[in-house]
Amino acid sequence: MIRDITIGQYYQTDSPIHRLDPRVKLLGTLLFIITLFLYKNPAGYAAGAVFLLAVIKLSRVPLRFITKGLKGILIVLLLTVIINLFLTPGTALISFWKFTITYEGVGVALTMLFRLTMLIMGSSIVTLTTTPNNLTDGLEKGLRFLKIFRVPVGDVAMMMSIALRFIPILMEETDRIMKAQLARGADFESGNIVKKAKALVPVLVPLFVSAFRRAGDLAMAMEARCYRGGDGRTKMKPLIYKKRDAIAYIILFSFVIFSVWIGRWQVINDFFNSLYLRYIIK
Amino acid sequence: MPLILDHVSQVYNADTETPVRALDDVSLVLPEGQFIGIIGHTGSGKSTLVQHLNGLMLPTSGNVYYNGRDIADKDFNKKELRKHVGLVFQYPEHQLFETDVFADVCFGPKNMGLSKKEAELAAFDALRKVDFPNELYYASVFELSGGQKRRAAIAGVLAMKPDFLVLDEPTAGLDPVGRYEILDMVSALHKESGMTIILVSHSMEDVARYVERVIVMDRGKVAFDDTPREVFTHGEELEAMGLGIPESTRIARMLKAKGIGVDPDVLTVTEAADSIYAAVTGKDK
């Protein structure tokens, strides 16, 4: 029942994308998202989509895993499209009753649709192809410069990796406790919202108790191994850039430059504008 | 009312590349009044099996019948089934949540729709059956020892007055004394009230002393289903499943192989000692 939830799920397989240094993937996602907001014409989005699909193909993650992430924001997506479609002022395309759809509205709605879809798909590739531990390692090393501002990067990364590690454990625990209480006749499904919330007490109390117990055990185990904070800790598998990471950076930067250039190129902007003007005049 | 499993299979992760057949075509009849042991190595499917007995899991194929009715039927009352088939999970003390022991034990019977008074009577009765110390009835759960917590948790299921009591590894994590206390208590429940007990364990020693029927699970299938004595004659097969036979039986077998006239089918230490004594001195004790 609870197992259906998939946050930051990792898809295990071996692919060039999986093997990349997490810092490349993190920076890549960041740049990809920024470029999405720089395009001014459809050619830019097309370039972005081609790049995204190529990365997905390379990652060997089935497409349905990536689109699964979209399900969660389907409502947000629909709302954005509908609101933009009806509320953008401009030249009317269709009018009925009190609603008007404008040419500009269609343009904005489509832009938003592509932006959001690609944004979510792009960021889910990172979590799908990187183990949580690798991801925190990447963040820790990538954000090391924040130390100048006295941000305890190592400790924060440790907390993050512990939190991530505990998600599946606590999910399993929830599942087990729910089953145990079901076996004692608990009922989580019937009744109104207040009754349903009350029915969760027999699950939440043992779950919290167990979380605290586990946290205590873990703290003791860490102290027994002389953990004393993040500074100066070495890694068993330190992150070192390899040749493939350099190649990936080159491809990444070429893509960014190319797609932004084409996405903002005056000639293409003019071409699409003329297309658009011709339809309005007609 | 017997529980019948008819060609039950359970497949996890069916839609991925690595489906797991946790149960593979299991057919069993579990009549009332028996004391049954289910044994299997970790991952043999025993925990999955017991969750089918009270409808917490429904088979991916095959049927489970209780009282002649398929428990997967839409109009089948699962709550009613869970009243009749009490399931005590592994580490059941982790499910305790109320402010005191007594209130927690009342949770089950109250869910069964009993009035406050009836629920309290049932809880009292259950706590007495598990020999829970009187002075701790209103103690907080956190003040109890490991063994006491476990008793309280078992009482929480017993209070629903089930016909079947299924215990998944009830002795896990207890010291030897605590283990035998729990097992003796369960055995007494069977003798005194004729309750059907299904004891899940990976320890042959635990099971051999008490049960009248052993079901051995291996990789999701029922490997053996017979009396302990009969099952333990398959020593080598059991060893291959990572189970092995009780120490006393093993020693008796080894002596027998050396040509000493010991009964190779002994189950407990006492039986083994008597048999060895008889073989060596040539007379019964």
Side-chain angles (χ1 to χ4, degrees), chain A residues 2-10 132-133 160-176 207 210 214:
Chain A
I2 200 105
R3 261 165 239 252
D4 302 332
I5 305 170
T6 51
I7 320 161
Q9 203 190 23
Y10 174 65
N133 274 334
M160 252 183 78
S161 59
I162 291 173
L164 286 171
R165 180 67 194 81
F166 268 63
I167 291 176
I169 294 178
L170 289 179
M171 292 246 214
E172 209 171 283
E173 188 96 3
T174 315
D175 198 51
R176 241 202 8 237
L207 188 64
S210 133
R214 280 176 198 280

PDB file of all heavy atoms in Angstrom, chain A residues 2-10 132-133 160-176 207 210 214:
ATOM      1  N   ILE A   2       1.790   1.338   0.982  1.00  0.00           N
ATOM      2  CA  ILE A   2       2.607   2.539   1.119  1.00  0.00           C
ATOM      3  C   ILE A   2       3.787   2.490   0.152  1.00  0.00           C
ATOM      4  O   ILE A   2       4.428   3.464  -0.125  1.00  0.00           O
ATOM      5  CB  ILE A   2       3.086   2.655   2.576  1.00  0.00           C
ATOM      6  CG1 ILE A   2       3.510   4.085   2.884  1.00  0.00           C
ATOM      7  CG2 ILE A   2       4.202   1.689   2.884  1.00  0.00           C
ATOM      8  CD1 ILE A   2       2.508   4.805   3.715  1.00  0.00           C
ATOM      9  N   ARG A   3       4.035   1.308  -0.384  1.00  0.00           N
ATOM     10  CA  ARG A   3       5.188   1.114  -1.242  1.00  0.00           C
ATOM     11  C   ARG A   3       5.063   1.854  -2.570  1.00  0.00           C
ATOM     12  O   ARG A   3       6.029   2.019  -3.287  1.00  0.00           O
ATOM     13  CB  ARG A   3       5.338  -0.382  -1.541  1.00  0.00           C
ATOM     14  CG  ARG A   3       6.369  -1.049  -0.684  1.00  0.00           C
ATOM     15  CD  ARG A   3       6.159  -2.547  -0.798  1.00  0.00           C
ATOM     16  NE  ARG A   3       5.901  -3.102   0.506  1.00  0.00           N
ATOM     17  CZ  ARG A   3       6.779  -3.842   1.158  1.00  0.00           C
ATOM     18  NH1 ARG A   3       7.915  -4.117   0.628  1.00  0.00           N
ATOM     19  NH2 ARG A   3       6.511  -4.306   2.337  1.00  0.00           N
ATOM     20  N   ASP A   4       3.843   2.273  -2.930  1.00  0.00           N
ATOM     21  CA  ASP A   4       3.648   2.903  -4.225  1.00  0.00           C
ATOM     22  C   ASP A   4       4.290   4.278  -4.311  1.00  0.00           C
ATOM     23  O   ASP A   4       4.521   4.799  -5.389  1.00  0.00           O
ATOM     24  CB  ASP A   4       2.148   3.026  -4.515  1.00  0.00           C
ATOM     25  CG  ASP A   4       1.501   1.663  -4.487  1.00  0.00           C
ATOM     26  OD1 ASP A   4       2.222   0.694  -4.774  1.00  0.00           O
ATOM     27  OD2 ASP A   4       0.310   1.564  -4.183  1.00  0.00           O
ATOM     28  N   ILE A   5       4.559   4.875  -3.141  1.00  0.00           N
ATOM     29  CA  ILE A   5       5.166   6.204  -3.143  1.00  0.00           C
ATOM     30  C   ILE A   5       6.608   6.104  -3.627  1.00  0.00           C
ATOM     31  O   ILE A   5       7.369   5.290  -3.144  1.00  0.00           O
ATOM     32  CB  ILE A   5       5.146   6.818  -1.735  1.00  0.00           C
ATOM     33  CG1 ILE A   5       3.717   6.815  -1.203  1.00  0.00           C
ATOM     34  CG2 ILE A   5       5.704   8.218  -1.749  1.00  0.00           C
ATOM     35  CD1 ILE A   5       3.637   7.179   0.252  1.00  0.00           C
ATOM     36  N   THR A   6       6.950   6.942  -4.615  1.00  0.00           N
ATOM     37  CA  THR A   6       8.314   6.879  -5.124  1.00  0.00           C
ATOM     38  C   THR A   6       8.890   8.271  -5.209  1.00  0.00           C
ATOM     39  O   THR A   6       8.745   8.954  -6.215  1.00  0.00           O
ATOM     40  CB  THR A   6       8.345   6.242  -6.521  1.00  0.00           C
ATOM     41  OG1 THR A   6       7.388   6.939  -7.317  1.00  0.00           O
ATOM     42  CG2 THR A   6       8.033   4.787  -6.479  1.00  0.00           C
ATOM     43  N   ILE A   7       9.553   8.702  -4.134  1.00  0.00           N
ATOM     44  CA  ILE A   7      10.213  10.009  -4.170  1.00  0.00           C
ATOM     45  C   ILE A   7      11.695   9.769  -4.411  1.00  0.00           C
ATOM     46  O   ILE A   7      12.303   8.951  -3.748  1.00  0.00           O
ATOM     47  CB  ILE A   7      10.071  10.759  -2.844  1.00  0.00           C
ATOM     48  CG1 ILE A   7       8.675  10.568  -2.278  1.00  0.00           C
ATOM     49  CG2 ILE A   7      10.424  12.228  -3.010  1.00  0.00           C
ATOM     50  CD1 ILE A   7       8.605  10.882  -0.815  1.00  0.00           C
ATOM     51  N   GLY A   8      12.232  10.504  -5.338  1.00  0.00           N
ATOM     52  CA  GLY A   8      13.665  10.412  -5.593  1.00  0.00           C
ATOM     53  C   GLY A   8      14.096   8.985  -5.835  1.00  0.00           C
ATOM     54  O   GLY A   8      15.127   8.554  -5.348  1.00  0.00           O
ATOM     55  N   GLN A   9      13.294   8.248  -6.578  1.00  0.00           N
ATOM     56  CA  GLN A   9      13.591   6.844  -6.788  1.00  0.00           C
ATOM     57  C   GLN A   9      14.800   6.661  -7.692  1.00  0.00           C
ATOM     58  O   GLN A   9      15.008   7.410  -8.637  1.00  0.00           O
ATOM     59  CB  GLN A   9      12.377   6.177  -7.422  1.00  0.00           C
ATOM     60  CG  GLN A   9      12.347   4.689  -7.177  1.00  0.00           C
ATOM     61  CD  GLN A   9      11.287   4.049  -8.022  1.00  0.00           C
ATOM     62  OE1 GLN A   9      10.882   4.586  -9.044  1.00  0.00           O
ATOM     63  NE2 GLN A   9      10.825   2.901  -7.604  1.00  0.00           N
ATOM     64  N   TYR A  10      15.593   5.647  -7.384  1.00  0.00           N
ATOM     65  CA  TYR A  10      16.789   5.355  -8.174  1.00  0.00           C
ATOM     66  C   TYR A  10      16.494   4.156  -9.063  1.00  0.00           C
ATOM     67  O   TYR A  10      15.945   3.159  -8.604  1.00  0.00           O
ATOM     68  CB  TYR A  10      17.949   5.050  -7.230  1.00  0.00           C
ATOM     69  CG  TYR A  10      19.217   4.596  -7.907  1.00  0.00           C
ATOM     70  CD1 TYR A  10      19.910   5.459  -8.741  1.00  0.00           C
ATOM     71  CD2 TYR A  10      19.709   3.325  -7.705  1.00  0.00           C
ATOM     72  CE1 TYR A  10      21.082   5.053  -9.365  1.00  0.00           C
ATOM     73  CE2 TYR A  10      20.882   2.906  -8.325  1.00  0.00           C
ATOM     74  CZ  TYR A  10      21.558   3.774  -9.152  1.00  0.00           C
ATOM     75  OH  TYR A  10      22.702   3.361  -9.764  1.00  0.00           O
ATOM     76  N   PRO A 132      21.272   7.974  -3.885  1.00  0.00           N
ATOM     77  CA  PRO A 132      21.189   9.071  -2.927  1.00  0.00           C
ATOM     78  C   PRO A 132      22.545   9.420  -2.310  1.00  0.00           C
ATOM     79  O   PRO A 132      22.870  10.597  -2.151  1.00  0.00           O
ATOM     80  CB  PRO A 132      20.231   8.538  -1.873  1.00  0.00           C
ATOM     81  CG  PRO A 132      19.374   7.565  -2.601  1.00  0.00           C
ATOM     82  CD  PRO A 132      20.249   6.957  -3.657  1.00  0.00           C
ATOM     83  N   ASN A 133      23.341   8.411  -1.998  1.00  0.00           N
ATOM     84  CA  ASN A 133      24.648   8.679  -1.399  1.00  0.00           C
ATOM     85  C   ASN A 133      25.554   9.458  -2.331  1.00  0.00           C
ATOM     86  O   ASN A 133      26.233  10.385  -1.921  1.00  0.00           O
ATOM     87  CB  ASN A 133      25.331   7.361  -1.037  1.00  0.00           C
ATOM     88  CG  ASN A 133      24.904   6.887   0.322  1.00  0.00           C
ATOM     89  OD1 ASN A 133      24.523   7.703   1.155  1.00  0.00           O
ATOM     90  ND2 ASN A 133      24.950   5.600   0.539  1.00  0.00           N
ATOM     91  N   MET A 160      21.723  14.943   5.324  1.00  0.00           N
ATOM     92  CA  MET A 160      20.918  14.628   4.140  1.00  0.00           C
ATOM     93  C   MET A 160      21.006  13.150   3.795  1.00  0.00           C
ATOM     94  O   MET A 160      19.996  12.505   3.515  1.00  0.00           O
ATOM     95  CB  MET A 160      21.421  15.438   2.956  1.00  0.00           C
ATOM     96  CG  MET A 160      20.489  16.531   2.551  1.00  0.00           C
ATOM     97  SD  MET A 160      21.141  17.347   1.118  1.00  0.00           S
ATOM     98  CE  MET A 160      20.707  16.192  -0.161  1.00  0.00           C
ATOM     99  N   SER A 161      22.242  12.615   3.830  1.00  0.00           N
ATOM    100  CA  SER A 161      22.360  11.213   3.416  1.00  0.00           C
ATOM    101  C   SER A 161      21.685  10.302   4.442  1.00  0.00           C
ATOM    102  O   SER A 161      21.093   9.300   4.072  1.00  0.00           O
ATOM    103  CB  SER A 161      23.811  10.824   3.171  1.00  0.00           C
ATOM    104  OG  SER A 161      24.570  11.026   4.321  1.00  0.00           O
ATOM    105  N   ILE A 162      21.739  10.673   5.729  1.00  0.00           N
ATOM    106  CA  ILE A 162      21.047   9.854   6.732  1.00  0.00           C
ATOM    107  C   ILE A 162      19.532   9.915   6.485  1.00  0.00           C
ATOM    108  O   ILE A 162      18.848   8.894   6.492  1.00  0.00           O
ATOM    109  CB  ILE A 162      21.384  10.321   8.156  1.00  0.00           C
ATOM    110  CG1 ILE A 162      22.841   9.996   8.482  1.00  0.00           C
ATOM    111  CG2 ILE A 162      20.472   9.658   9.179  1.00  0.00           C
ATOM    112  CD1 ILE A 162      23.318  10.558   9.785  1.00  0.00           C
ATOM    113  N   ALA A 163      19.049  11.131   6.248  1.00  0.00           N
ATOM    114  CA  ALA A 163      17.607  11.287   6.020  1.00  0.00           C
ATOM    115  C   ALA A 163      17.166  10.452   4.822  1.00  0.00           C
ATOM    116  O   ALA A 163      16.160   9.735   4.880  1.00  0.00           O
ATOM    117  CB  ALA A 163      17.275  12.756   5.800  1.00  0.00           C
ATOM    118  N   LEU A 164      17.945  10.529   3.744  1.00  0.00           N
ATOM    119  CA  LEU A 164      17.581   9.773   2.544  1.00  0.00           C
ATOM    120  C   LEU A 164      17.617   8.275   2.809  1.00  0.00           C
ATOM    121  O   LEU A 164      16.752   7.530   2.375  1.00  0.00           O
ATOM    122  CB  LEU A 164      18.539  10.110   1.395  1.00  0.00           C
ATOM    123  CG  LEU A 164      18.329  11.464   0.757  1.00  0.00           C
ATOM    124  CD1 LEU A 164      19.458  11.775  -0.199  1.00  0.00           C
ATOM    125  CD2 LEU A 164      16.999  11.495   0.016  1.00  0.00           C
ATOM    126  N   ARG A 165      18.645   7.867   3.568  1.00  0.00           N
ATOM    127  CA  ARG A 165      18.797   6.441   3.863  1.00  0.00           C
ATOM    128  C   ARG A 165      17.605   5.922   4.666  1.00  0.00           C
ATOM    129  O   ARG A 165      17.240   4.759   4.565  1.00  0.00           O
ATOM    130  CB  ARG A 165      20.109   6.248   4.636  1.00  0.00           C
ATOM    131  CG  ARG A 165      20.433   4.827   5.017  1.00  0.00           C
ATOM    132  CD  ARG A 165      20.712   4.003   3.774  1.00  0.00           C
ATOM    133  NE  ARG A 165      20.713   2.583   4.063  1.00  0.00           N
ATOM    134  CZ  ARG A 165      19.633   1.840   4.163  1.00  0.00           C
ATOM    135  NH1 ARG A 165      18.449   2.386   3.974  1.00  0.00           N
ATOM    136  NH2 ARG A 165      19.722   0.564   4.420  1.00  0.00           N
ATOM    137  N   PHE A 166      17.033   6.801   5.496  1.00  0.00           N
ATOM    138  CA  PHE A 166      15.969   6.346   6.381  1.00  0.00           C
ATOM    139  C   PHE A 166      14.601   6.302   5.715  1.00  0.00           C
ATOM    140  O   PHE A 166      13.679   5.709   6.258  1.00  0.00           O
ATOM    141  CB  PHE A 166      15.907   7.242   7.630  1.00  0.00           C
ATOM    142  CG  PHE A 166      16.738   6.696   8.760  1.00  0.00           C
ATOM    143  CD1 PHE A 166      18.103   6.571   8.641  1.00  0.00           C
ATOM    144  CD2 PHE A 166      16.137   6.272   9.930  1.00  0.00           C
ATOM    145  CE1 PHE A 166      18.869   6.048   9.654  1.00  0.00           C
ATOM    146  CE2 PHE A 166      16.896   5.743  10.960  1.00  0.00           C
ATOM    147  CZ  PHE A 166      18.271   5.635  10.824  1.00  0.00           C
ATOM    148  N   ILE A 167      14.466   6.945   4.559  1.00  0.00           N
ATOM    149  CA  ILE A 167      13.146   6.950   3.908  1.00  0.00           C
ATOM    150  C   ILE A 167      12.639   5.528   3.658  1.00  0.00           C
ATOM    151  O   ILE A 167      11.561   5.161   4.118  1.00  0.00           O
ATOM    152  CB  ILE A 167      13.156   7.783   2.610  1.00  0.00           C
ATOM    153  CG1 ILE A 167      13.311   9.260   2.958  1.00  0.00           C
ATOM    154  CG2 ILE A 167      11.872   7.572   1.819  1.00  0.00           C
ATOM    155  CD1 ILE A 167      13.430  10.161   1.754  1.00  0.00           C
ATOM    156  N   PRO A 168      13.401   4.679   2.963  1.00  0.00           N
ATOM    157  CA  PRO A 168      12.876   3.320   2.731  1.00  0.00           C
ATOM    158  C   PRO A 168      12.668   2.534   4.019  1.00  0.00           C
ATOM    159  O   PRO A 168      11.695   1.783   4.135  1.00  0.00           O
ATOM    160  CB  PRO A 168      13.950   2.659   1.858  1.00  0.00           C
ATOM    161  CG  PRO A 168      15.153   3.512   1.958  1.00  0.00           C
ATOM    162  CD  PRO A 168      14.706   4.887   2.294  1.00  0.00           C
ATOM    163  N   ILE A 169      13.570   2.735   5.003  1.00  0.00           N
ATOM    164  CA  ILE A 169      13.433   1.999   6.262  1.00  0.00           C
ATOM    165  C   ILE A 169      12.122   2.367   6.949  1.00  0.00           C
ATOM    166  O   ILE A 169      11.359   1.504   7.380  1.00  0.00           O
ATOM    167  CB  ILE A 169      14.620   2.300   7.198  1.00  0.00           C
ATOM    168  CG1 ILE A 169      15.905   1.747   6.602  1.00  0.00           C
ATOM    169  CG2 ILE A 169      14.382   1.735   8.583  1.00  0.00           C
ATOM    170  CD1 ILE A 169      17.128   2.027   7.413  1.00  0.00           C
ATOM    171  N   LEU A 170      11.855   3.670   7.022  1.00  0.00           N
ATOM    172  CA  LEU A 170      10.645   4.098   7.716  1.00  0.00           C
ATOM    173  C   LEU A 170       9.391   3.714   6.937  1.00  0.00           C
ATOM    174  O   LEU A 170       8.347   3.429   7.524  1.00  0.00           O
ATOM    175  CB  LEU A 170      10.683   5.605   7.970  1.00  0.00           C
ATOM    176  CG  LEU A 170      11.710   6.007   9.030  1.00  0.00           C
ATOM    177  CD1 LEU A 170      11.714   7.509   9.226  1.00  0.00           C
ATOM    178  CD2 LEU A 170      11.437   5.315  10.360  1.00  0.00           C
ATOM    179  N   MET A 171       9.500   3.675   5.616  1.00  0.00           N
ATOM    180  CA  MET A 171       8.353   3.249   4.806  1.00  0.00           C
ATOM    181  C   MET A 171       8.007   1.797   5.123  1.00  0.00           C
ATOM    182  O   MET A 171       6.848   1.441   5.306  1.00  0.00           O
ATOM    183  CB  MET A 171       8.699   3.330   3.325  1.00  0.00           C
ATOM    184  CG  MET A 171       8.865   4.718   2.859  1.00  0.00           C
ATOM    185  SD  MET A 171       7.560   5.067   1.720  1.00  0.00           S
ATOM    186  CE  MET A 171       8.403   6.138   0.614  1.00  0.00           C
ATOM    187  N   GLU A 172       9.048   0.982   5.168  1.00  0.00           N
ATOM    188  CA  GLU A 172       8.838  -0.427   5.445  1.00  0.00           C
ATOM    189  C   GLU A 172       8.238  -0.592   6.839  1.00  0.00           C
ATOM    190  O   GLU A 172       7.326  -1.384   7.044  1.00  0.00           O
ATOM    191  CB  GLU A 172      10.190  -1.125   5.380  1.00  0.00           C
ATOM    192  CG  GLU A 172      10.136  -2.565   4.969  1.00  0.00           C
ATOM    193  CD  GLU A 172      11.539  -3.077   4.740  1.00  0.00           C
ATOM    194  OE1 GLU A 172      12.116  -2.756   3.682  1.00  0.00           O
ATOM    195  OE2 GLU A 172      12.065  -3.740   5.628  1.00  0.00           O
ATOM    196  N   GLU A 173       8.776   0.185   7.771  1.00  0.00           N
ATOM    197  CA  GLU A 173       8.292   0.137   9.151  1.00  0.00           C
ATOM    198  C   GLU A 173       6.809   0.528   9.197  1.00  0.00           C
ATOM    199  O   GLU A 173       6.008  -0.125   9.865  1.00  0.00           O
ATOM    200  CB  GLU A 173       9.124   1.114   9.986  1.00  0.00           C
ATOM    201  CG  GLU A 173       8.849   1.028  11.458  1.00  0.00           C
ATOM    202  CD  GLU A 173       9.848   0.139  12.167  1.00  0.00           C
ATOM    203  OE1 GLU A 173      10.776  -0.354  11.501  1.00  0.00           O
ATOM    204  OE2 GLU A 173       9.672  -0.059  13.367  1.00  0.00           O
ATOM    205  N   THR A 174       6.450   1.588   8.472  1.00  0.00           N
ATOM    206  CA  THR A 174       5.053   2.025   8.440  1.00  0.00           C
ATOM    207  C   THR A 174       4.172   0.902   7.925  1.00  0.00           C
ATOM    208  O   THR A 174       3.105   0.611   8.483  1.00  0.00           O
ATOM    209  CB  THR A 174       4.892   3.237   7.501  1.00  0.00           C
ATOM    210  OG1 THR A 174       5.931   4.142   7.774  1.00  0.00           O
ATOM    211  CG2 THR A 174       3.555   3.898   7.701  1.00  0.00           C
ATOM    212  N   ASP A 175       4.636   0.283   6.852  1.00  0.00           N
ATOM    213  CA  ASP A 175       3.889  -0.810   6.257  1.00  0.00           C
ATOM    214  C   ASP A 175       3.670  -1.917   7.287  1.00  0.00           C
ATOM    215  O   ASP A 175       2.562  -2.438   7.435  1.00  0.00           O
ATOM    216  CB  ASP A 175       4.689  -1.347   5.071  1.00  0.00           C
ATOM    217  CG  ASP A 175       3.851  -2.170   4.133  1.00  0.00           C
ATOM    218  OD1 ASP A 175       2.791  -1.661   3.741  1.00  0.00           O
ATOM    219  OD2 ASP A 175       4.229  -3.302   3.824  1.00  0.00           O
ATOM    220  N   ARG A 176       4.724  -2.256   8.018  1.00  0.00           N
ATOM    221  CA  ARG A 176       4.628  -3.336   8.990  1.00  0.00           C
ATOM    222  C   ARG A 176       3.697  -2.989  10.138  1.00  0.00           C
ATOM    223  O   ARG A 176       2.859  -3.798  10.532  1.00  0.00           O
ATOM    224  CB  ARG A 176       6.022  -3.649   9.532  1.00  0.00           C
ATOM    225  CG  ARG A 176       6.400  -5.062   9.230  1.00  0.00           C
ATOM    226  CD  ARG A 176       7.467  -5.683  10.082  1.00  0.00           C
ATOM    227  NE  ARG A 176       7.926  -4.972  11.210  1.00  0.00           N
ATOM    228  CZ  ARG A 176       9.213  -4.649  11.405  1.00  0.00           C
ATOM    229  NH1 ARG A 176      10.091  -4.962  10.524  1.00  0.00           N
ATOM    230  NH2 ARG A 176       9.574  -4.015  12.499  1.00  0.00           N
ATOM    231  N   LEU A 207       5.554   4.479  15.137  1.00  0.00           N
ATOM    232  CA  LEU A 207       6.505   4.891  14.111  1.00  0.00           C
ATOM    233  C   LEU A 207       7.496   5.914  14.675  1.00  0.00           C
ATOM    234  O   LEU A 207       8.705   5.820  14.457  1.00  0.00           O
ATOM    235  CB  LEU A 207       5.746   5.496  12.925  1.00  0.00           C
ATOM    236  CG  LEU A 207       6.590   5.791  11.699  1.00  0.00           C
ATOM    237  CD1 LEU A 207       7.151   4.511  11.126  1.00  0.00           C
ATOM    238  CD2 LEU A 207       5.783   6.529  10.659  1.00  0.00           C
ATOM    239  N   SER A 210       9.839   4.259  17.072  1.00  0.00           N
ATOM    240  CA  SER A 210      10.856   3.496  16.371  1.00  0.00           C
ATOM    241  C   SER A 210      11.873   4.410  15.708  1.00  0.00           C
ATOM    242  O   SER A 210      13.070   4.104  15.681  1.00  0.00           O
ATOM    243  CB  SER A 210      10.170   2.570  15.367  1.00  0.00           C
ATOM    244  OG  SER A 210      10.765   2.626  14.133  1.00  0.00           O
ATOM    245  N   ARG A 214      15.787   4.221  16.484  1.00  0.00           N
ATOM    246  CA  ARG A 214      16.792   4.047  15.433  1.00  0.00           C
ATOM    247  C   ARG A 214      17.796   5.192  15.429  1.00  0.00           C
ATOM    248  O   ARG A 214      18.993   4.979  15.225  1.00  0.00           O
ATOM    249  CB  ARG A 214      16.111   3.981  14.071  1.00  0.00           C
ATOM    250  CG  ARG A 214      15.536   2.623  13.784  1.00  0.00           C
ATOM    251  CD  ARG A 214      14.801   2.654  12.456  1.00  0.00           C
ATOM    252  NE  ARG A 214      13.905   1.541  12.339  1.00  0.00           N
ATOM    253  CZ  ARG A 214      14.283   0.322  11.997  1.00  0.00           C
ATOM    254  NH1 ARG A 214      15.542   0.080  11.758  1.00  0.00           N
ATOM    255  NH2 ARG A 214      13.396  -0.644  11.913  1.00  0.00           N
TER     256      ARG A 214
END
